Each structure stands twice: as structure tokens, then as C-alpha cells.
């Protein structure tokens, strides 16, 4: 158990809908990262937050947005869902952000999203 | 741009034997970190081992060791005394310089045979 929690574990929805994925980082971790893992794209970095502020953006679609709240939990919002958005969405957290290359990211169990 | 290559899509190993999973990377940054993660069929990503680019010694964590060859830009994972529970996908990842984010390789699926 990494100490990172994600809810829900599974989510089934229809095209065009909007969903919210939730993540609680490990106690004391200030940085939260979101990743998408699909069969054809592998593990893709979406976005990073540090202490409530957006720190880095990766391959995140405009239909997707995220935020980190004062209690450090984070939410990833996915809207106008398409079939291709079906994937495993991970949240990860790291202890601090020196941003240095030594920072280990600890992953949550993931949310498996199925868009029908 | 940073890139991670894992050339073995799938590997088989006999229980109790050692296995090496290959990872090569490409970066022009002088400082970087290299990580290995395990993803069992249940889906979670489990951190295994870390190696810093300036570390003089190869990292070890229990049955896991990282064979770091900086000049060759390789960071192979060695699992000693394989167990059935080691069957999983294994991902090599790189953390480049300050302010950038992890880049993952495509993964290697390891199957441990009884």
C-alpha cells in the first residue's frame, strides 16, 4: 500500500458525459501527478500540481482539467467523454518538490474508466 | 527529448532463477534519476528501485538490483531468485532535470514459470 488513495476504483459511463476522479496523496506529500494508461499509448503524464498550484502539463486534452485543493487532495475532471478516453487513470504523489530527479513518485491504485 | 526504451516486450524465467530486464535511456541532462516500477495484473504501480545519475554504486533493494552503466545509458533491472509473484509488467522510468516529469518506457511483461 503506497498510501495514495484514489476513488472510485471503477467507473462506467457513456460518451458525452463528465466524470470526476479523486486522489488523496500520501501524508505530507505536496506534489500530485496524474497519468493516463491506455493499451495503445502506454503511460502518459497528464498534469502535476504542487501545493495547490499547477506545476507542469503533459499530454492533457482541453476536455480534461484538474485542481489541487487546500487539503492537498486532487481531482481530475474529464468531460465530453469519448470512447478513446477509456483507460486506467493514476494519481501519484511525491514528498516534496525540489523537483529534483531524485524524487520518487508513489502511485495510487488507479481508477479504471470505461466509456461506452 | 528524453526517451526510455525497453526492447523486451515479454520475458520468461524459471522460478528461483535470476532475470535481467533491459532499459536504455536517452537524455542530454547531466542529472537525472532512473526508476523501476512493477505493475501486477491487479493494476497498481509499485515502486521498486531508484538510481541517481551521480550515484557511484548500483542500487539494490532486497532481491532487486539495478545494473547502471552510465556510458551506455542503460539501467537494467536484475531480479534474483525469481518468485511466482514476480510475474507482472515492469516499467523503467526516468526523471529528467529539475522541473520536468517522468518519462516511462513501454514495459516488459515478465512471466515466472514454476
Amino acid at each position: 500500500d503506497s498510501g495514495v488513495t484514489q476513488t472510485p476504483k471503477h467507473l462506467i459511463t457513456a460518451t458525452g458525459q463528465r466524470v470526476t476522479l479523486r486522489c488523496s496523496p500520501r501524508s505530507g506529500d505536496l506534489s500530485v501527478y496524474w497519468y493516463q494508461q491506455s493499451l495503445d499509448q502506454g503511460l502518459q503524464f497528464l498534469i502535476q500540481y504542487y501545493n495547490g498550484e499547477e506545476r507542469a502539463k503533459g499530454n492533457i486534452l482541453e476536455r480534461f482539467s484538474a485542481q489541487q485543493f487546500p487539503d492537498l487532495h486532487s481531482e481530475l475532471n474529464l468531460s465530453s467523454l469519448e470512447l478513446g478516453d477509456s483507460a486506467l487513470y493514476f494519481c501519484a504523489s511525491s514528498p516534496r518538490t525540489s523537483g529534483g530527479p531524485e524524487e520518487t513518485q508513489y502511485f495510487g491504485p488507479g481508477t479504471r474508466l470505461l466509456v461506452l | 527529448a528524453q526517451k526510455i526504451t525497453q526492447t523486451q516486450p515479454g520475458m520468461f524465467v524459471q522460478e528461483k532463477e535470476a532475470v535481467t530486464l533491459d532499459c536504455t535511456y536517452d537524455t542530454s541532462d547531466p542529472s537525472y534519476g532512473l526508476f523501476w516500477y512493477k505493475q501486477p495484473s491487479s493494476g497498481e504501480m509499485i515502486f521498486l528501485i531508484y538510481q541517481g545519475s551521480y550515484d557511484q554504486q548500483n542500487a539494490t533493494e532486497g532481491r532487486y538490483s539495478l545494473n547502471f552503466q552510465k556510458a551506455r545509458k542503460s539501467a537494467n533491472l536484475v531480479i534474483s531468485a525469481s518468485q511466482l509473484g514476480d510475474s507482472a509488467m515492469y516499467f523503467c522510468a526516468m526523471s529528467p532535470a529539475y522541473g520536468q516529469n517522468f518519462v516511462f518506457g513501454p514495459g516488459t511483461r515478465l512471466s515466472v514459470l514454476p
Side-chain angles (χ1 to χ4, degrees), chain B residues 23-27 29-30 32 34 51-56 58 67-76:
Chain B
C23 171
T24 58
Y25 59 92
D26 187 20
T27 182
D29 294 317
Y32 50 89
L34 296 157
Q51 177 85 42
S53 59
Y54 290 117
D55 292 343
Q56 296 296 313
N58 288 339
N67 183 1
F68 180 47
Q69 299 187 46
K70 193 170 182 177
R72 294 186 175 186
K73 293 189 174 178
S74 75
N76 299 338

Side-chain angles (χ1 to χ4, degrees), chain A residues 33 35 37 43 45 48 55-56 88 90 98-109 112, chain B residues 31-33 35 37 39 41-45 47 50 91 95-102 104:
Chain A
Y33 311 78
Y35 291 86
Q37 185 180 33
L43 202 63
F45 166 71
Q48 179 202 358
R55 180 58 63 96
L88 185 54
F90 284 108
S98 64
E102 72 282 1
E103 282 201 27
T104 298
Q105 293 184 20
Y106 296 91
F107 283 72
R112 197 172 293 276
Chain B
S31 178
Y32 50 89
F35 300 80
Y37 287 85
Q39 186 177 36
S41 57
S42 51
E44 72 269 31
M45 292 284 284
F47 165 68
Y50 160 79
F91 292 93
S95 172
Y98 182 90
Q100 301 182 50
N101 289 282
F102 274 29
F104 281 86

Side-chain angles (χ1 to χ4, degrees), chain A residues 20-34:
Chain A
T20 297
L21 312 184
R22 184 187 168 103
C23 166
S24 292
R26 299 188 322 157
S27 177
D29 285 0
L30 297 178
S31 276
V32 169
Y33 311 78
W34 286 97

